[in-house]
Amino acid sequence: MKDLARRFPENPLLLPKDVKPSNPGLQVISLLNPGVFQFEDKIWLLVRVAESIAQKEGVLYFPVINATGNTEIIEVPLNDPDLVATDARVIKYKGLDYLTTISHLRLLSSTDGIHFIEPDSHASLFGSGELERFGIEDCRVSRMADTYYLTYTAVSDSGVGVGLRTTKDWVNFEKKGVIFPPHNKDCAIFEERIGDKYYALHRPSSVEIGGNYIWLAESTDGVRWGNHRCLIKSRPGLWDSARVGAGAAPIRTERGWLAVYHGANAKNQYCLGAFLMDLDDPSRVLARTPDPIMVPTETYELSGFFGYVVFTNGHIVRGDELTIYYGAADEFVCGAKFSISEILSALV
Ligand code: MAN
């Protein structure tokens, strides 16, 4: 299907083999879903590195971070009746949920936005504490004045929530803890205050009544959030029928705040769409794209760790040009350009 994305001819920009594992006992399975920001005249990616253990026939190994912060390996025979391993991303074992990989966040920089290197000067960010025992993932980076707000998925056996860390120099970080408790992810803080309030999009999930919808929250300090309102729901019968979640920080345009989001259907096929919020009152949704603006079509989007996925949580805006960086097939980091006015024209 033809979409609005102009993919980089250099795609995939980053493959799992391009970085070293964080520990010699692990292997990098996927590089995906980067947060994106500009710092010291460079473009930076805060890439999610998903790692696992080399597998052997007949058994399944999966990692967990133990109470002392070290990675522990659990070994289960594949024919164990207590094991449910039907999704490449998650495992159920003896009634408990685990991830097949554990993720941390790695900093890579570039002068052209295409070729990225991993500078020694910046350490990786790892999960820390009991609410990040299964790792940290899919970080959005929002900048306000000289502070960067990092909102990421914090995963543990207690659930999937949103963690916040802030930094000014990408060397020292302040941990603000879990700002949206489970089940919640896909949190993007607006890069400007409106009136005297901070705003954020987030995605709680409701199991029985409701669903996986995008909500708006407000805050007076950027850390404690309230006045939650539900903005965008999944749409039965469409490409975003099962879940929706915000990408990076909404973009200020003359017509309103433009948000790029991902939507998935019941087959776990992930596309991108967009919606528009009122500039003064972002709880008012003005328009939304009926069709996706990006659909998995290239081989690197259709097959990989988890195929048929395009997922973004980071972008750079220059005039009318929106460059998104995205995870393809949950395994590779790719880039694509859009025209903001073309996206605005696709809104209904
Ligand atoms: C889903 C997927 C995984 C992710 C977990 C926890 O299963 O998005 O990639 O690791 O949620 O966030």
Side-chain angles (χ1 to χ4, degrees):
M1 183 180 160
K2 192 168 156 15
D3 58 29
L4 300 185
R6 287 188 283 277
R7 290 162 175 80
F8 286 19
E10 297 85 355
N11 280 346
L13 304 181
L14 293 165
L15 309 169
K17 66 167 176 51
D18 294 337
V19 299
K20 287 207 182 79
S22 62
N23 155 334
L26 297 175
Q27 56 182 206
V28 176
I29 302 293
S30 302
L31 280 191
L32 68 167
N33 307 357
V36 180
F37 59 96
Q38 297 184 70
F39 176 66
E40 290 178 344
D41 298 327
K42 293 200 176 89
I43 294 177
W44 292 75
L45 302 181
L46 187 56
V47 179
R48 170 178 172 193
V49 181
E51 298 178 306
S52 187
I53 297 112
Q55 302 291 330
K56 239 179 24 196
E57 222 175 289
V59 283
L60 183 71
Y61 294 116
F62 56 93
V64 292
I65 301 175
N66 64 22
T68 54
N70 295 316
T71 305
E72 211 174 273
I73 290 149
I74 301 190
E75 178 180 343
V76 183
L78 274 176
N79 58 6
D80 189 320
D82 286 328
L83 175 71
V84 185
T86 48
D87 185 316
R89 305 170 299 178
V90 283
I91 293 165
K92 206 179 239 328
Y93 182 56
K94 293 191 191 295
L96 297 179
D97 296 314
Y98 298 93
L99 293 180
T100 53
T101 59
I102 290 208
S103 297
H104 65 274
L105 305 173
R106 199 86 64 98
L107 282 158
L108 284 88
S109 71
S110 170
T111 48
D112 63 4
I114 298 168
H115 303 93
F116 286 87
I117 52 144
E118 210 185 325
D120 296 331
S121 45
H122 293 270
S124 301
L125 279 70
F126 289 91
S128 88
E130 63 175 50
L131 296 178
E132 298 178 358
R133 278 188 66 204
F134 293 178
I136 55 177
E137 309 173 346
D138 305 349
C139 189
R140 278 81 178 161
V141 178
S142 296
R143 182 182 181 170
M144 263 184 285
D146 58 352
T147 303
Y148 295 88
Y149 291 74
L150 282 59
T151 48
Y152 56 86
T153 305
V155 196
S156 73
D157 47 346
S158 300
V160 176
V162 176
L164 171 67
R165 300 183 193 183
T166 59
T167 186
K168 290 185 199 294
D169 58 9
W170 292 96
V171 174
N172 301 292
F173 294 85
E174 268 186 48
K175 292 181 183 151
K176 306 287 190 185
V178 166
I179 54 167
F180 295 108
H183 188 105
N184 205 315
K185 47 167 61 173
D186 304 324
C187 173
I189 298 180
F190 288 58
E191 294 188 298
E192 282 173 44
R193 280 188 279 180
I194 304 167
D196 55 356
K197 297 217 176 73
Y198 294 82
Y199 284 86
L201 299 172
H202 63 112
R203 208 288 299 281
S205 295
S206 190
V207 189
E208 271 144 13
I209 297 178
N212 303 296
Y213 306 151
I214 299 173
W215 289 58
L216 179 76
E218 54 184 58
S219 170
T220 50
D221 62 2
V223 177
R224 293 164 197 83
W225 298 87
N227 196 20
H228 302 271
R229 279 160 293 175
C230 183
L231 294 196
I232 291 285
K233 295 186 170 173
S234 46
R235 295 178 290 193
L238 291 192
W239 57 276
D240 52 3
S241 61
R243 72 180 67 89
V244 288
I251 302 156
R252 175 189 266 285
T253 73
E254 275 176 14
R255 285 182 50 195
W257 293 104
L258 178 67
V260 173
Y261 74 97
H262 66 265
N265 61 18
K267 290 199 237 158
N268 281 321
Q269 299 176 324
Y270 286 70
C271 299
L272 301 182
F275 65 94
L276 193 70
M277 293 160 279
D278 184 84
L279 278 181
D280 301 318
D281 175 7
S283 71
R284 283 185 56 222
V285 175
L286 306 175
R288 181 173 177 184
T289 51
D291 297 319
I293 61 168
M294 186 170 188
V295 178
T297 38
E298 301 297 323
T299 316
Y300 51 81
E301 297 164 352
L302 295 172
S303 70
F305 181 72
F306 197 82
Y308 214 97
V309 172
V310 291
F311 183 104
T312 187
N313 49 289
H315 60 226
I316 301 276
V317 178
R318 281 194 186 131
D320 184 55
E321 186 183 83
L322 169 69
T323 304
I324 67 151
Y325 291 89
Y326 66 100
D330 271 2
E331 184 168 338
F332 315 109
V333 173
C334 295
K337 289 189 192 293
F338 290 84
S339 144
I340 291 177
S341 48
E342 259 176 50
I343 301 178
L344 291 173
S345 308
L347 296 163
V348 174

